[in-house]
Amino acid sequence: MKAALIGLGSVGKGVAGILAKKDLGISITGIADSKSGIMDSMGLDILKVLDTKKNHGYCGDRNISSEDIVRKGDYDVLIEVSPTNADSGEPAIGYIRTALSRKKHVVTSNKGPVALAYKELFTLAQKNGVSFRYEATVAGAIPIMHTLEQGLAGNDILAVYGVLNGTCNFILTRMAAEGLTYEQALMEAREMGYAEADPTYDVQGIDAAIKLVILANTIWGDGVSLSDVDRTGIDLLTPEALRLAEDENCTIRLIAEAIPRKRILRVSPRIIEKDHPLVVDGTLNALTLETDMAKDITLIGRGAGSIETASAIIGDLLYIKNHYVQRS
Amino acid sequence: MQVSMKLEMKDSPGQLVAALKPISDVGGNIIAVIHQHDPDPDHDNLDVQIVLELPEGRLETLVALLKKQGVHIQRIGEERLLYKRTVIMIGHLMHTGLSDTVDQIDSTGFAEVCELSMSMPAVNERSSSRITIKAASKGDMESALVILRRVAREKSLLMIEPLEAIAE
């Protein structure tokens, strides 16, 4: 199977590295970063491209753009892993639309397009008989979409709730464990590379809310958007509040929850018993699915990281390879 | 008067209705019924906790009637508020009138603040508090929380609620 890779940041490098290392029957015929691109329908030497990126800061020919590869490249599946733009979803939505229109499968880790244009892209994929997969957008390495699609097939999903933002979970873990203030814990998160220079997106619950929207649309197809989420962040929490929770053998975690029968779509800090399965440490993610037949299923795992996210993308790629594409 | 009782009866159809009938016979009003099915399948008894409003002086008659129905009364208490919920509130709790916040719950008649812990790190800094509310029924608890959410919004307080068991 031939793949084109758009985006060569942490996730893109992770995917390229794994495809170079493991013999999965997937070759890369095009790679683009934000400045350049490179194509070879016979398959690129991935390690060489990664080397060029490392030494020069860009991966290929400055005259070849992401769009060129998406529009003209020879590939079966587009791997779209450029950075998330939560406001417009562009340019990723455009890339995905083009690829799907060309009857190419798409795998993405980019939350923008899935949160903003899910219905359009999903319908377009269906119309063209190709697959649009986005396992990596929610809870990193946790195979939540595969679990919903295959493992829990036939179940009614009644509710989904959990910890979907590792940065917030790290901050809350450190505030509880060391009595740090929010500001101190945030600084520590930055030093560890878990928080961006502008942490708003994480700490005000926007990232978790976007993931919740993706889950809700995937499960119930109800067309909800970010503005439908009732959202409270963690930036006003005090170490005293965590201590007060601790006195009752509880702690505080940022919980995203979607419960259609109660009309709840919410991200908010919650008091939660310390031995509750959703109380995970550090940057881990955890989520519980409540279903009619299987009852409760809780999944815990790494919510971010280069190779961890690559794991989710590789899972999607191999799904497509096994279900749609026979040639390798 | 309000009374709570823990009753034990045979877990067979019609038993609960039969057991509850004497309450209306003595002019009582049932506020809440809480089932506690025994997890042990060999144990065929049903434990039920009830909260009721009773006219003064009727308790003895009721006890006699219940015994006649074959209901075993395990406990009678005045502990009427059975549901407990703890929330944490963060903000300028003192400046925005803490006693008013508490009073808004206490004055409902169906719920009350039974515990309050405060932590005030410094003057002018936001304080944090843990507030435990008791209510007679689940519905009353939800009504009390609705009031508290409104108060929190009006006073710009951050209210953190527990993650409850969702399956119902």
Side-chain angles (χ1 to χ4, degrees), chain B residues 39-168:
Chain B
D40 177 5
D42 297 332
H43 188 81
D44 58 355
N45 280 345
L46 176 69
D47 285 344
V48 176
Q49 252 192 84
I50 53 172
V51 184
L52 50 136
E53 180 78 43
L54 214 55
E56 293 299 327
R58 301 283 173 84
L59 186 58
E60 269 182 45
T61 321
L62 176 62
V63 169
L65 285 171
L66 285 171
K67 279 185 183 161
K68 227 167 114 184
Q69 292 279 352
V71 176
H72 174 58
I73 303 173
Q74 291 182 322
R75 189 167 57 81
I76 300 181
E78 297 272 334
E79 174 75 8
R80 65 181 183 91
L81 301 174
L82 292 170
Y83 285 91
K84 258 192 180 181
R85 195 53 70 77
T86 298
V87 304
I88 288 176
M89 293 185 108
I90 303 172
H92 294 289
L93 291 150
M94 298 305 284
H95 298 312
T96 57
L98 183 64
S99 62
D100 170 71
T101 303
V102 171
D103 206 44
Q104 299 235 21
I105 299 300
D106 286 354
S107 64
T108 58
F110 55 73
E112 60 191 49
V113 172
C114 66
E115 208 187 304
L116 181 77
S117 302
M118 285 273 287
S119 179
M120 293 172 284
V123 182
N124 292 331
E125 268 187 41
R126 289 175 304 134
S127 43
S128 307
S129 69
R130 188 182 65 229
I131 300 172
T132 303
I133 300 169
K134 276 186 175 181
S137 72
K138 226 172 194 162
D140 287 343
M141 177 60 78
E142 191 43 47
S143 306
L145 288 172
V146 167
I147 294 170
L148 206 54
R149 284 180 204 128
R150 175 179 52 75
V151 173
R153 207 163 43 240
E154 284 166 6
K155 299 184 176 184
S156 300
L157 306 173
L158 172 60
M159 176 167 154
I160 305 169
E161 296 186 47
L163 181 73
E164 22 172 339
I166 288 173
E168 272 156 25

Side-chain angles (χ1 to χ4, degrees), chain A residues 122-154:
Chain A
F122 182 74
T123 311
L124 185 61
Q126 272 193 324
K127 196 185 108 197
N128 288 303
V130 287
S131 190
F132 172 49
R133 303 185 66 85
Y134 46 87
E135 178 69 80
T137 57
V138 178
I142 298 177
I144 176 65
M145 301 300 170
H146 281 83
T147 302
L148 286 166
E149 194 179 0
Q150 282 99 42
L152 293 174

Side-chain angles (χ1 to χ4, degrees), chain A residues 219-232:
Chain A
I219 299 170
W220 298 293
D222 43 9
V224 295
S225 65
L226 186 54
S227 58
D228 298 317
V229 182
D230 179 6
R231 179 170 54 80
T232 308

